[in-house]
Each structure stands twice: as structure tokens, then as C-alpha cells.
């Protein structure tokens, strides 16, 4: 089975071009399934090696049942998705005849309301960064760019200087599935990026062009998603904002503020890089009170006395 997992991983990396994060999770989930089979001595051949052809629906259900005590629904759903994708690949390539997960449905996930900052919180956060050292200039550019564009953290760390057009104030973003989109950014974000570029040239002798990464760590290397999460957490704490959000919360904030200001939902969908409008519609509940108040005030049959 190890060889099959490796072949599948190569397929994900080379043909489906999934993100490194997704690839790492899928391989980890399949390793956990392999461990379950070995521990319980299931689906083994005469040489005590796992035979993927012996995996059936009962084995899969036993594995999923073993996860319910220590894993959230979202985690179990991801592991099931990894198994489904793996066995679909094995069937498609003729390595197994039947898909043991064909009749297993993915459980509905609980979708928590996305956290976001108020407009006042955003001004407090972005205005509260005290520039005392070079990294503060970088951090301010990161936070301004997040709020100005609503990009995913993986998209932000993957940015190269060639992706930015300072004259047109637009950025080319490579999103999920290597899909590209163009997103505008504002004047303040542009100014903080230019200030950071000047600082980067001074500290790292960087040309700040071409395929060089935009955001660097303190060693002059491309910053990681984990480091960006720590930056967001640090500045929320230092500016005294009690809302606990990560980089994705700034993306939610961007979308929510646009929606509350009257932006069209399909425009927001395009800027966020959502494949489906239904994903973007998750943000509509966030300003439901405001919409209701406007309706009550404006509609002649709302039942509210004018």
C-alpha cells in the first residue's frame, strides 16, 4: 500500500497540482488508515502486507467509527475525502476493481460563523503598529495587503514581485487549483508595499522584482503561513483587540466590509476566488440585522409604522 500511496501522491502533485498543505494532509490521512489496518491486522495478504483490493465498505466504516471519539466532524470529513480520492484513483488506474467508498456519503459539516473585525477594530489594528524596526514595516504591509485584497494566507506567502503592478494597483493571485485572478489593491496598501520594498532592498540587497518573494522572514527567505498567523496574532494582542481571528479572519473582514458597503456579491466572489457563489453567500448572514433594519425602514409593507 505504501507504493500505491506514493504513486497517488505523485498524481496529486503532478497532475492535479494540489497545494503542499492538501498533499501533506492527504498523505498523513492515508498513513493513519494504513496504521489502522496494520494494528487490527485487516486486509493483509499471506506476507502480512496490506492488499488494497481487500478493503471493503465494512473496513472503511470501522475506521471512521474509530475516529469519532477523538476527532471533530471536519477532521473526519477530510480523512474520508482523502480515502475517497485515493480509491477513485486506484479504480481509474485499474489497481482495484471496486470502490469500497462508493456508497459512503460525506457527513454534513457544521459551518461556524466566520469571525471578523469591525471597521473600528481594523483602524485600531492598522493604525496601532508602531514602526520601531524593519520587521514592523513588513508586518504593516502584510496586514494592509490582507485587508485591501482579501487574499488567502497561502496566496499571500506565494506572492512574487512580478505579480504586483504598482501603476495599475492590481495583483495577480494564484489561488486554489492554480487558478489565476486579478485583484485590485488600495492606495494605502500600495504605499506600505513601497515602503517595505525600500526596506527590503536596504536589508537584503533585494531587487524586489521578477520571481523574488514579496514577503520575507528575518532570514531573508520566503515567509511561511505559520509565521503570518503569528504576525496577525501578535498585532491583535499588542493593539488590545479582543477578537480572536487568524489570517482567514482578515479575509472574512475584507468580504464583510465590502458587502456591508453595498458591493455586489458576484464581484466579491471574483475577488475572493470562490468557485461557487454559495461559498461567498456565507457572508450574507453577517449583515442580516442591517438588511432587516433597512427593509423595515424602507418597505411600505414591512409592518413597521413610519
Amino acid at each position: 500500500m505504501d507504493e500505491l500511496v506514493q504513486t497517488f501522491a505523485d498524481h496529486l502533485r503532478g497532475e492535479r497540482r494540489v497545494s503542499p498543505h492538501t498533499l501533506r494532509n492527504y498523505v498523513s490521512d492515508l498513513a493513519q488508515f494504513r496504521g489502522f489496518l496494520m494494528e487490527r491486522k485487516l486486509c493483509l495478504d499471506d506476507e502480512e502486507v496490506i492488499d488494497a483490493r481487500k478493503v471493503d465498505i465494512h473496513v472503511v466504516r470501522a475506521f471512521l467509527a474509530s475516529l469519532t471519539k477523538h476527532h471533530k466532524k471536519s477532521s473526519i470529513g477530510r480523512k474520508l475525502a482523502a480515502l475517497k480520492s485515493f480509491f477513485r484513483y486506484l479504480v481509474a488506474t485499474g489497481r482495484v476493481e471496486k470502490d469500497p467508498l462508493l456508497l459512503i456519503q460525506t457527513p454534513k459539516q457544521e459551518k461556524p460563523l466566520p469571525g471578523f473585525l469591525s471597521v473600528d477594530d481594523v483602524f485600531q489594528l492598522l493604525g496601532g503598529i508602531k514602526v520601531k524596526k524593519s520587521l514592523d514595516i513588513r508586518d504593516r504591509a502584510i496586514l494592509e495587503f490582507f485587508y485591501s485584497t482579501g487574499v488567502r494566507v497561502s496566496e499571500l506567502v506565494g506572492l512574487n514581485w512580478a505579480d504586483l503592478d504598482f501603476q495599475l494597483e492590481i495583483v495577480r493571485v494564484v489561488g486554489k487549483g492554480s487558478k489565476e485572478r486579478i485583484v485590485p489593491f488600495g492606495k494605502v496598501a500600495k504605499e506600505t508595499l513601497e515602503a517595505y520594498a525600500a526596506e527590503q532592498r536596504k536589508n537584503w540587497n533585494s531587487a524586489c522584482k521578477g520571481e523574488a518573494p514579496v514577503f520575507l522572514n528575518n532570514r531573508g527567505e520566503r515567509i511561511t503561513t505559520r509565521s503570518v498567523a503569528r504576525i496577525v496574532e501578535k498585532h491583535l494582542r499588542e493593539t488590545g483587540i479582543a477578537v480572536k481571528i487568524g489570517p482567514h479572519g482578515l479575509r472574512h473582514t475584507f468580504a464583510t466590509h465590502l458587502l456591508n458597503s453595498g458591493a455586489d456579491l458576484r464581484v466579491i466572489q471574483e475577488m475572493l476566488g470562490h468557485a461557487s457563489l454559495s461559498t461567498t453567500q456565507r457572508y450574507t448572514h453577517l449583515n442580516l440585522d442591517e438588511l432587516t433594519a433597512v427593509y423595515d425602514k424602507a418597505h411600505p409593507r414591512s409592518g413597521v409604522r413610519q
Side-chain angles (χ1 to χ4, degrees):
M1 186 170 170
D2 290 343
E3 185 177 336
L4 293 178
V5 171
Q6 184 57 55
T7 304
F8 176 60
D10 292 340
H11 163 72
L12 291 177
R13 186 187 301 108
E15 296 181 36
R16 288 181 53 183
R17 300 176 70 182
V18 302
S19 70
H21 179 71
T22 299
L23 179 62
R24 187 165 56 249
N25 282 339
Y26 270 34
V27 171
S28 173
D29 293 337
L30 291 172
Q32 185 177 3
F33 180 61
R34 177 191 179 281
F36 170 83
L37 297 179
M38 292 298 296
E39 180 184 342
R40 307 200 179 193
K41 298 189 180 301
L42 297 171
C43 308
L44 304 181
D45 60 18
D46 295 337
E47 298 179 0
E48 297 290 301
V49 175
I50 295 172
D51 185 347
R53 294 170 298 182
K54 293 187 177 183
V55 175
D56 59 24
I57 190 171
H58 304 294
V59 170
V60 174
R61 282 177 172 163
F63 171 65
L64 296 176
S66 73
L67 300 174
T68 55
K69 188 175 181 180
H70 301 291
H71 293 81
K72 295 180 179 179
K73 279 187 178 180
S74 58
S75 178
I76 296 174
R78 191 198 70 205
K79 295 176 191 299
L80 179 56
L83 285 173
K84 279 178 171 286
S85 185
F86 177 58
F87 277 97
R88 277 199 301 266
Y89 169 75
L90 295 185
V91 171
T93 55
R95 289 173 169 85
V96 300
E97 291 184 8
K98 296 181 179 179
D99 183 353
L101 291 99
L102 198 58
L103 299 179
I104 296 181
Q105 295 184 344
T106 302
K108 288 186 177 180
Q109 301 298 316
E110 298 173 358
K111 292 184 177 180
L113 303 183
F116 67 101
L117 301 178
S118 68
V119 174
D120 288 341
D121 285 339
V122 170
F123 275 80
Q124 183 177 334
L125 172 65
L126 300 179
I129 301 176
K130 297 179 175 62
V131 178
K132 298 179 180 178
K133 51 189 178 180
S134 177
L135 292 180
D136 295 328
I137 298 175
R138 178 205 63 188
D139 292 358
R140 185 173 62 181
I142 285 175
L143 295 176
E144 285 283 2
F145 193 78
F146 259 136
Y147 182 60
S148 187
T149 61
V151 295
R152 300 177 179 92
V153 64
S154 59
E155 295 167 347
L156 180 133
V157 302
L159 281 179
N160 297 325
W161 285 106
D163 298 323
L164 294 163
D165 187 323
F166 284 97
Q167 184 174 356
L168 297 178
E169 297 181 1
I170 57 175
V171 58
R172 181 181 70 95
V173 180
V174 181
K176 290 184 176 180
S178 298
K179 293 180 180 177
E180 295 184 9
R181 67 185 190 278
I182 300 298
V183 180
F185 56 86
K187 181 181 177 182
V188 178
K190 175 184 176 180
E191 290 172 351
T192 59
L193 282 169
E194 289 174 335
Y196 175 56
E199 192 70 14
Q200 196 179 113
R201 291 188 190 99
K202 182 174 69 175
N203 289 342
W204 302 107
N205 195 29
S206 171
C208 294
K209 62 181 181 179
E211 299 306 307
V214 174
F215 295 110
L216 306 178
N217 61 20
N218 56 8
R219 297 184 299 277
E221 302 165 344
R222 188 183 295 275
I223 201 168
T224 64
T225 57
R226 190 178 295 273
S227 293
V228 173
R230 284 196 290 261
I231 288 168
V232 174
E233 181 183 354
K234 170 192 172 186
H235 290 288
L236 285 171
R237 184 177 63 250
E238 290 184 352
T239 51
I241 297 173
V243 181
K244 290 186 177 181
I245 62 169
H248 207 63
L250 294 179
R251 179 170 161 86
H252 288 155
T253 300
F254 163 82
T256 302
H257 291 180
L258 280 181
L259 185 65
N260 287 345
S261 298
D264 184 85
L265 201 59
R266 289 196 179 275
V267 173
I268 299 175
Q269 176 193 1
E270 180 67 25
M271 287 193 283
L272 291 175
H274 286 159
S276 169
L277 185 62
S278 62
T279 306
T280 315
Q281 284 173 331
R282 290 182 62 200
Y283 298 106
T284 59
H285 73 277
L286 296 174
N287 67 343
L288 185 59
D289 290 341
E290 181 180 343
L291 290 174
T292 304
V294 170
Y295 176 86
D296 287 344
K297 184 177 180 180
H299 199 283
R301 301 280 287 179
S302 66
V304 177
R305 194 179 297 274
Q306 302 294 321

